[in-house]
Amino acid sequence: MQKQYIRTYLNNKFLAYITAAAFLLCAALLGISIGTVSVSPITIIKVIAAELLPFISLENTDTMHSNIIMNIRLPRVLLAGLVGASLAIAGAAFQGLLRNPLADPYTIGVSSGASLGAVLTLFLGLSIPFAGMFTLPLFSILFSFLTIFAVLLFARNIERSMKVETIILTGIIFSSFLGALISLMIALTGEELRQIIGWLLGSVSMRGWAYIKIIIPFFGIGAILLLVNSKELNAMSFGEEKAQHIGVDVQKRKMMILIAGSILTGAAVAVSGTIGFVGLVIPHLTRLLWGPDHRHLLPLSILMGAGFLIIADLVSRTIIAPTELPIGVITAIIGAPAFAFILMKRRTERSG
Amino acid sequence: MLSVQQVTGGYAGAPVVKNISFEVKKGELFGILGPNGSGKTTILKMLSGILPHKSGDIVIKGKTLSKYTPKELAKIIAVLPQHSSQAFSYTVKETVSLGRYAHQKGWFQSWSNKDEEAVNRVMEQTGISQFQDDDIQQLSGGERQRVFLAQALAQEPEILLLDEPTNHLDLSYQKELLDLLSVWSKDCGLTVISIFHDLNLAGLYCDRLLLLENGEVNIDHVPNEVLKEGRIREVYRTKIEKLPHPRVPAPQMVLVPERAQAKSRQLKRIDQDSFEIREGLIILRSPFPLKTMSSGVTGSGTGWNRIFLNRHVSKNYDCSDHRAEMAEFVQEIGFEPGETVGMMTAVYVEDHSSKFFEEETFSVYVVVTAGVGNAVDASKSEEHSYHLTPGTINTWIFVNGNLTEEAFIQCIMTATEAKTRALYDQKVKDTVTGTIATGTSTDSILIAATQKGENLEYAGTITPLGKVIGKGVYECTVEAIKNSQRRIKK
């Protein structure tokens, strides 16, 4: 009886990973395949396989196809996937830590902080010696970290228990304030204007492999830090005091999670601008489908978030082709109603 | 096991607890009491390491609290807080499993068989196994509290801290939880430290109590010492009275509502207007409950009653289950057995004698039915064989005044002495021994007081109340004996 139960439980989780991975794979194939020039999935697989394993020859494939795949579509899809994954896992972690299903990097103002950091770097033309192309993401991460601290400190000062609504409101206040600073810099700026605006709109297009190299190390570090803390996140979603009673070193773990979340958000914003609501919708959906256990929620959010942003990017560039919409528009169109829905559901749950 | 030494501290600003010291031994069930804001929860938070203390020391198993890592501490102390928040819909089993966090080792913190066993065992103990796959957000408050108790127990702690554990539980679960805690502390050596709001529960279950007042220790002692009327009144600033528990040697405190005193003097007194004779039955109906002490067939002992019956039954009345039969009879004539003192007599109730005595500050109404068919000399009663027959001298005394417990008992003594004297003067003889009888074999008595108006502390024979009762009972008993003897002669 007990064994039976464990087996079906494992099967369920196994099925969850299979489903999420399949979703990501389909999204990636679609993302590479669809565009002004269609590429068949078989060609895609062949080209990528040939690239990875040199002994496979590319006799029958068009070089134009392999160029499109390797230089345009694949980096774009990979970048979208990495950004989506970063935002989703960061959102899942923030939600768990703050016991707040409405938290995500965007709603609590971290994305705005990261943007400010990035814009500041562009505006002042900053470059840290030795950091080179990592200057921008490092500043983004630093600013997202400072922002989340400021938000939490402010929220705690308003109300000790840090209610869901208080944190969201504080996030909005900070977002507006930081947004104003960004606008100020845009108004004052001269030649960097186009660069800043283009970056702010949020996009994963025409970034090439360089941006993937930027985000990969941060994604790796942030995701591992969070995955290591998934049990602690489970405990902390019952409240910080409860977590401490159970034996979690709350201060240390909380700091790790906040840093990891900031790294992920900062890096994602650095490479793609502000893309909202991914971190809100994906963890919520994943939790709805497969339960709130962070040991599974975090990895599943990575897979689902990556797939979701690849699809969103695909939609943004094909829906009124040849014009390309900013990807943030698509995620907001899906995300904002989802936010409203979650908020209403919470209200009725509480009053009912 | 746990020792708190001169601890001061609290939140920012003024300290909530000041210079508190106490010790808790292994296996003890230790209760913390005190009014709201007296620092109970603050102390508990300090013990669990959530709140740092400014000065003093907390020593657990010979080691200062601050020297423990959170994981080490979690293996010794588990906490069941008053409220547990749950933002996400974990299943019951996932929630309980979290309690094993501190016991899991290594980088991967894998789930061992021991963990699985512990979780299953505590779910069994707290009776939540049957809904282990349910969502905790859909459980009732009581069920959820048990889930979090199971979570705390899954830590396999040596000390369990509870903050008003019975708060969300209905009566049966309150008792169940405390019974469990009591068993675990006695049999398994679990040390339990719990905050209580309910003084009575604390008095029933705790080995020792700590009473806090404004962040300081008022007393740290056994329940009987801590739960003293005067002390509790002073600390809680409210009117309460202390009673013994009817079954176990534990003190119980009861609240006294203010309105009971307010309308006191406007209410009616008890006199012949409330009295009524029916066929084979005399009834006194009080408009409000009277405090009674009686040896009636129903409503005996002490209690509050409104209806008083004395019922004629034939000499051949079957006494096998007279209580049930009497209760049935009371119900048949339209009264509630729960608020009725019922007596039986073989005497014709029409022969009763009643008198009303008006004093300056109080009044007494006495009703007696007397037959002396089976009169007994108490000093020689061993010569009698034992058999139950309906009582033959039934004495009712209604006092319009406020009696103490000792006054009730003295009323009975005074009334009995007066009755004996009446029998002596009437030369009623014990037919078996031939000596003067002191009463009959199954006499019954009722003292009922309105508990309003004048405070009557004593009712010994020479007190104002005792004098009236002695006189009243004597006169009524004499008259009632004469009445019934007259009937026999006819």
Side-chain angles (χ1 to χ4, degrees):
Chain A
M1 181 67 198
Q2 192 64 38
K3 274 200 176 144
Q4 182 75 38
Y5 165 69
I6 289 171
R7 201 168 299 142
T8 54
Y9 184 77
L10 280 179
N11 280 346
N12 275 341
K13 291 297 173 208
F14 190 62
L15 207 65
Y17 282 105
I18 294 283
T19 313
F23 169 67
L24 174 57
L25 196 69
C26 288
L29 283 177
L30 282 175
I32 300 173
S33 158
I34 298 171
T36 36
V37 177
S38 296
V39 184
S40 76
I42 295 167
T43 317
I44 299 167
I45 294 168
K46 265 190 190 165
V47 169
I48 295 175
E51 200 64 35
L52 293 174
L53 310 161
F55 54 83
I56 295 176
S57 65
L58 283 171
E59 276 161 22
N60 308 334
T61 41
D62 201 330
T63 42
M64 183 190 76
H65 277 174
S66 75
N67 260 334
I68 291 177
I69 293 167
M70 290 314 298
N71 295 332
I72 302 171
R73 300 249 176 99
L74 183 60
R76 181 175 187 144
V77 163
L78 275 181
L79 189 63
L82 285 168
V83 168
S86 302
L87 292 174
I89 189 178
F94 283 139
Q95 291 176 7
L97 182 67
L98 302 173
R99 299 182 295 290
N100 182 342
L102 292 178
D104 96 335
Y106 191 67
T107 52
I108 58 178
V110 184
S111 293
S112 302
S115 298
L116 180 66
V119 170
L120 207 62
T121 319
L122 294 174
F123 178 66
L124 300 174
L126 291 174
S127 175
I128 307 172
F130 309 116
M133 67 174 184
F134 289 108
T135 307
L136 185 82
L138 284 178
F139 264 89
S140 286
I141 289 166
L142 179 69
F143 271 74
S144 53
F145 191 63
L146 290 176
T147 313
I148 192 156
F149 260 85
V151 168
L152 292 182
L153 203 72
F154 196 77
R156 179 164 303 172
N157 268 335
I158 295 174
E159 183 198 39
R160 266 194 71 86
S161 62
M162 299 224 291
K163 273 209 205 104
V164 177
E165 290 78 4
T166 316
I167 295 177
I168 301 288
L169 276 178
T170 318
I172 289 168
I173 294 168
F174 272 77
S175 285
S176 314
F177 181 70
L178 296 170
L181 289 183
I182 293 171
S183 301
L184 181 72
M185 270 186 279
I186 291 172
L188 292 177
T189 194
E191 20 195 280
E192 300 91 352
L193 181 70
R194 260 197 32 204
Q195 200 192 350
I196 293 177
I197 297 273
W199 178 86
L200 265 181
L201 277 174
S203 166
V204 286
S205 72
M206 305 314 284
R207 307 264 167 162
W209 289 100
Y211 276 74
I212 293 176
K213 283 181 198 150
I214 292 178
I215 193 175
I216 273 191
F218 295 113
F219 171 72
I221 294 169
I224 287 171
L225 268 180
L226 289 184
L227 288 174
V228 164
N229 280 305
S230 47
K231 261 202 175 160
E232 286 74 11
L233 273 171
N234 276 345
M236 274 192 258
S237 58
F238 285 93
E240 285 180 21
E241 286 194 5
K242 186 89 231 180
Q244 183 152 3
H245 293 154
I246 290 168
V248 177
D249 190 342
V250 170
Q251 293 312 320
K252 192 173 108 194
R253 297 297 185 152
K254 190 164 82 173
M255 199 54 89
M256 278 169 84
I257 292 163
L258 287 178
I259 289 174
S262 307
I263 288 176
L264 288 164
T265 313
V269 169
V271 297
S272 65
T274 48
I275 297 173
F277 297 109
V278 181
L280 174 82
V281 177
I282 295 304
H284 193 79
L285 179 74
T286 312
R287 204 179 284 121
L288 221 57
L289 288 174
W290 297 302
D293 186 342
H294 286 82
R295 285 173 299 175
H296 303 295
L297 179 67
L298 297 182
L300 287 170
S301 291
I302 290 181
L303 297 174
M304 297 295 284
F308 172 75
L309 207 65
I310 291 169
I311 298 274
D313 179 50
L314 177 64
V315 171
S316 81
R317 66 188 161 87
T318 54
I319 194 160
I320 49 166
T323 317
E324 207 171 285
L325 290 172
I327 189 172
V329 172
I330 304 295
T331 57
I333 285 175
I334 303 171
F339 182 91
F341 172 75
I342 298 168
L343 189 64
M344 267 162 58
K345 203 168 141 246
R346 277 175 55 83
R347 276 275 164 241
T348 45
E349 259 171 26
R350 211 179 287 171
S351 58
Chain B
M1 193 73 190
L2 183 142
S3 147
V4 175
Q5 295 154 7
Q6 282 136 29
V7 163
T8 298
Y11 305 95
V16 180
V17 296
K18 298 156 215 156
N19 200 19
I20 282 190
S21 305
F22 61 89
E23 296 217 1
V24 183
K25 287 194 271 304
K26 186 174 162 64
E28 227 175 359
L29 215 165
F30 187 82
I32 301 178
L33 303 175
N36 289 335
S38 60
K40 305 186 295 286
T41 303
T42 310
I43 288 205
L44 215 64
K45 282 191 173 173
M46 285 174 175
L47 291 182
S48 60
I50 296 285
L51 206 63
H53 47 277
K54 282 203 188 89
S55 62
D57 252 329
I58 296 175
V59 180
I60 293 162
K61 290 183 80 182
K63 190 167 153 186
T64 311
L65 180 68
S66 51
K67 297 241 169 73
Y68 282 97
T69 66
K71 267 199 179 186
E72 283 170 356
L73 194 62
K75 283 190 223 172
I76 299 176
I77 295 188
V79 185
L80 181 64
Q82 202 172 351
H83 305 287
S84 297
S85 70
Q86 58 286 313
F88 305 115
S89 45
Y90 288 93
T91 66
V92 167
K93 195 171 175 185
E94 280 171 338
T95 309
V96 176
S97 301
L98 263 180
R100 298 298 299 168
Y101 177 84
H103 289 270
Q104 290 168 330
K105 291 191 193 92
W107 189 249
F108 294 104
Q109 306 190 328
S110 53
W111 188 251
S112 68
N113 279 338
K114 200 165 160 268
D115 294 325
E116 182 73 27
E117 274 164 30
V119 166
N120 286 329
R121 190 184 64 238
V122 295
M123 286 198 298
E124 203 65 51
Q125 281 174 335
T126 48
I128 54 171
S129 302
Q130 72 272 23
F131 40 78
Q132 55 175 295
D133 296 323
D134 290 2
D135 172 356
I136 45 166
Q137 287 184 324
Q138 277 155 13
L139 300 182
S140 73
E143 287 165 340
R144 214 176 291 160
Q145 185 77 338
R146 284 191 284 155
V147 171
F148 285 105
L149 176 68
Q151 189 189 51
L153 291 172
Q155 290 175 238
E156 298 184 320
E158 294 173 50
I159 302 174
L160 184 61
L161 304 180
L162 306 113
D163 191 349
E164 285 174 45
T166 55
N167 213 0
H168 304 284
L169 304 182
D170 63 32
L171 268 181
S172 70
Y173 281 134
Q174 287 188 10
K175 179 175 151 2
E176 214 168 89
L177 172 68
L178 290 167
D179 284 342
L180 271 179
L181 289 179
S182 159
V183 167
W184 287 330
S185 74
K186 294 293 156 305
D187 297 354
C188 318
L190 179 73
T191 309
V192 180
I193 302 176
S194 177
I195 290 178
F196 282 96
H197 248 319
D198 189 325
L199 302 180
N200 291 333
L201 282 180
L204 273 177
Y205 285 95
C206 291
D207 299 316
R208 230 145 40 83
L209 294 174
L210 177 77
L211 179 64
L212 293 180
E213 187 182 12
N214 298 324
E216 287 172 62
V217 175
N218 180 296
I219 187 174
D220 168 12
H221 215 294
V222 295
N224 226 341
E225 281 299 313
V226 176
L227 298 177
K228 291 225 156 132
E229 254 170 276
R231 185 192 309 281
I232 297 299
R233 256 184 224 167
E234 200 180 293
V235 172
Y236 282 84
R237 295 172 206 297
T238 187
K239 197 156 188 191
I240 46 169
E241 279 190 31
K242 182 176 169 179
L243 293 172
H245 191 283
R247 295 289 293 280
V248 294
Q252 298 286 287
M253 314 297 277
V254 290
L255 285 169
V256 183
E258 287 304 323
R259 66 191 154 79
Q261 297 293 315
K263 331 187 218 174
S264 63
R265 270 152 229 253
Q266 299 152 14
L267 284 162
K268 242 188 107 189
R269 62 179 189 186
I270 302 300
D271 56 22
Q272 52 271 31
D273 292 345
S274 315
F275 190 71
E276 184 186 332
I277 305 181
R278 292 190 190 169
E279 177 71 34
L281 185 67
I282 50 179
I283 305 172
L284 188 133
R285 272 195 269 193
S286 165
F288 49 87
L290 305 181
K291 188 173 181 189
T292 60
M293 189 178 276
S294 78
S295 60
V297 178
T298 64
S300 56
T302 51
W304 290 84
N305 291 288
R306 251 161 33 80
I307 310 291
F308 306 90
L309 298 178
N310 192 358
R311 168 190 171 205
H312 169 78
V313 292
S314 76
K315 272 211 153 90
N316 318 323
Y317 177 76
D318 174 19
C319 285
S320 58
D321 193 357
H322 56 294
R323 279 211 180 82
E325 194 275 337
M326 187 68 172
E328 217 168 273
F329 171 81
V330 169
Q331 222 150 17
E332 248 166 52
I333 57 170
F335 297 123
E336 193 50 57
E339 52 175 30
T340 304
V341 175
M343 293 183 181
M344 293 183 186
T345 178
V347 174
Y348 291 94
V349 293
E350 293 77 7
D351 296 340
H352 77 275
S353 161
S354 69
K355 280 198 168 91
F356 185 76
F357 300 90
E358 177 93 66
E359 293 296 310
E360 247 172 66
T361 55
F362 66 93
S363 51
V364 178
Y365 185 52
V366 181
V367 182
V368 175
T369 58
V372 289
N374 45 0
V376 171
D377 176 356
S379 62
K380 296 193 172 146
S381 58
E382 57 195 348
E383 295 172 35
H384 286 262
S385 60
Y386 179 80
H387 61 279
L388 273 176
T389 49
T392 37
I393 301 183
N394 287 344
T395 312
W396 289 357
I397 300 164
F398 297 92
V399 181
N400 293 304
N402 191 1
L403 299 195
T404 60
E405 295 270 310
E406 49 267 58
F408 267 98
I409 294 169
Q410 287 163 345
C411 278
I412 294 175
M413 290 163 58
T414 306
T416 308
E417 286 164 22
K419 173 190 77 181
T420 303
R421 178 70 201 192
L423 260 61
Y424 179 83
D425 287 353
Q426 294 306 304
K427 302 197 173 57
V428 176
K429 283 209 173 119
D430 181 332
T431 47
V432 176
T433 61
T435 49
I436 299 267
T438 56
T440 77
S441 56
T442 45
D443 287 354
S444 228
I445 190 160
L446 158 78
I447 314 292
T450 55
Q451 295 303 83
K452 300 174 205 299
E454 176 81 359
N455 282 324
L456 299 161
E457 215 171 323
Y458 304 108
T461 41
I462 56 161
T463 60
L465 177 60
K467 284 178 185 167
V468 177
I469 288 176
K471 179 170 163 229
V473 171
Y474 177 83
E475 287 176 6
C476 287
T477 309
V478 168
E479 190 180 306
I481 291 172
K482 282 184 180 157
N483 286 348
S484 70
Q485 279 171 342
R486 206 171 299 135
R487 180 186 293 272
I488 292 163
K489 274 178 200 149
K490 270 185 203 162

